[in-house]
Amino acid sequence: MTVPTFTLRDGNQIPSFGFGVFQIPADGSTKVAVAKALELGYRHIDTATAYFNEAEVGAAIQESGIPREEIWVTTKLWLQDYAYDDAKKGIDTSLTKLGLDYVDLMLLHQPYGEVEQAWQALEEAQAAGKIKSIGVSNMTPKIYQKFVPNFKTKPVVNQVEFNPYFQQEELRQTMLEDGVAIEAWAPLGQGNADLFQEPVLQEIAERHHKNVGQVILRFEHQLGIIVFPKSTHDERIKSNIDIFDFALSNVEMDAIKALDKGKGSHDPDAPGVGEWLLNAFDVHTND
C-alpha cells in the first residue's frame, strides 16, 4: 500500500498518514507497535522527547530493514530545553536516542518560554542537515501571531488537537494563508465514546462498509490534515490505515463538518498553561 504524500511549504513530501506513539510505554511496547506499523505499510512515525520512547522508535526503525530514506520520522523538543544552548543539546540528544543521523521533522512541542531561541536552534540544525523540516505544535492563532512573525523562516506544520468535534476553522484559515500544513493530535478524539456513537458517522460507515474510526480519518485526510492515530492493537493499527480505497462525498463531508463543537479538550491560550507544563515533569529524569 502506498500512502499519499502532501507537499510542505519547504518542498519536502510528508506521508499524509502515520503512526503516533504518545502514551505508549517504553517497556518494549513502543518498539513492538512501531515494528507492526512498519510491517503494515506505515512510513511516518511521530514521537517526542516528552514521550520518553524515542529509543524504542529508533530500534524498531533500525531493525525493520526498510531503507532510512523511506521512513518519515518526527520528534519534538520539550520546552524545558528551549534556551538556545539547551535546545542545541536537546536536538542532538533526540538524534542519539533515535540512533539516526537526521530526523525528517522536528517540532517545538509547546509554544511557551524561550520559543524564539529554540526556533533559532532548529533553523541552524536544519541548515546543518540534522533536520529536514521544522515546525511547531499547539499554536493557536493568537500564539502563532505572537511568535512566528519574529521567526526568520516560517514553520512547515503546526500540530494541534483536531477531530470532528474540534475542526479548528479559524486556525485552518490562518495556516492556509501562510502555507502551513496542519497535523492532528487526537485525530480520533482520544477515543471519545460520544464521537464514535454519532449517528451520522455510523450511517456513513455502514454505507461504505467501514468503521467509524476509518470514516473520521478519511474525513480528516480529505480536508488535507496530516494524521497519525495511535494504537497498540494489531487489528486497529491495520484498520486505521485502510482508508485509501474509498472517498467521502461532498454531502458526507458537510454532514461531518456539522459535528464541529468549536472547542477541544486543551486550550493553549488558557492562563498558566505554560508554567504548568514546564513544571509538570522533567524530560531529563531518565538521562
Side-chain angles (χ1 to χ4, degrees), residues 28-270:
S29 303
T30 298
K31 183 180 175 183
V32 169
V34 172
K36 175 55 68 172
L38 292 171
E39 177 188 323
L40 292 170
Y42 289 77
R43 293 295 183 267
H44 174 172
I45 310 297
D46 181 276
T47 184
T49 297
Y51 297 172
F52 299 102
N53 55 20
E54 288 173 306
E56 292 200 16
V57 169
I61 290 170
Q62 290 158 23
E63 294 177 19
S64 70
I66 299 167
R68 168 67 185 94
E69 63 274 13
E70 293 181 13
I71 303 175
W72 181 282
V73 182
T74 299
T75 193
K76 310 175 192 75
L77 192 68
W78 186 245
L79 52 82
Q80 186 178 0
D81 289 336
Y82 278 11
Y84 177 71
D85 288 335
D86 292 335
K88 292 204 300 183
K89 292 176 186 174
I91 292 165
D92 288 341
T93 297
S94 283
L95 288 171
T96 298
K97 288 184 175 179
L98 286 161
L100 300 175
D101 295 327
Y102 70 92
V103 290
D104 298 273
L105 175 64
M106 186 170 283
L107 309 179
L108 299 186
H109 203 155
Q110 299 289 348
Y112 314 102
E114 302 293 347
V115 171
E116 292 176 37
Q117 290 187 39
W119 189 255
Q120 181 185 347
L122 289 190
E123 289 176 329
E124 291 176 2
Q126 182 181 35
K130 296 179 180 181
I131 308 169
K132 298 294 186 183
S133 296
I134 54 178
V136 296
S137 184
N138 293 301
M139 280 197 175
T140 63
K142 178 180 177 181
I143 295 173
Y144 185 87
Q145 296 299 348
K146 175 183 177 181
F147 288 115
V148 174
N150 300 322
F151 292 173
K152 192 164 90 174
T153 56
K154 289 180 180 177
V156 297
V157 303
N158 184 10
Q159 184 179 127
V160 296
E161 181 179 6
F162 191 99
N163 59 70
Y165 278 169
F166 188 33
Q167 296 177 33
Q168 298 270 20
E169 283 196 30
E170 181 185 0
L171 180 69
R172 281 164 57 203
Q173 185 58 42
T174 301
M175 296 302 95
L176 181 63
E177 291 169 0
D178 267 9
V180 178
I182 291 180
E183 295 188 324
W185 62 257
L188 295 171
Q190 294 181 316
N192 186 320
D194 291 340
L195 178 60
F196 277 74
Q197 293 300 316
E198 285 286 352
V200 65
L201 294 176
Q202 293 183 333
E203 290 167 9
I204 294 171
E206 185 175 351
R207 189 178 307 131
H208 289 280
H209 306 289
K210 293 291 183 177
N211 60 48
V212 169
Q214 290 168 325
V215 169
I216 292 171
L217 294 169
R218 181 68 201 187
F219 167 74
E220 292 161 350
H221 175 74
Q222 288 186 211
L223 286 179
I225 308 298
I226 301 162
V227 298
F228 30 84
K230 177 211 82 174
S231 181
T232 56
H233 304 289
D234 289 1
E235 284 306 311
R236 184 61 57 82
I237 295 172
K238 184 178 181 180
S239 70
N240 280 344
I241 201 172
D242 187 20
I243 65 165
F244 300 109
D245 59 351
F246 78 110
L248 301 175
S249 68
N250 291 337
V251 171
E252 291 170 330
M253 290 291 289
D254 288 342
I256 301 174
K257 288 177 183 177
L259 296 176
D260 189 14
K261 297 179 182 294
K263 185 178 180 181
S265 63
H266 173 60
D267 180 7
D269 289 327

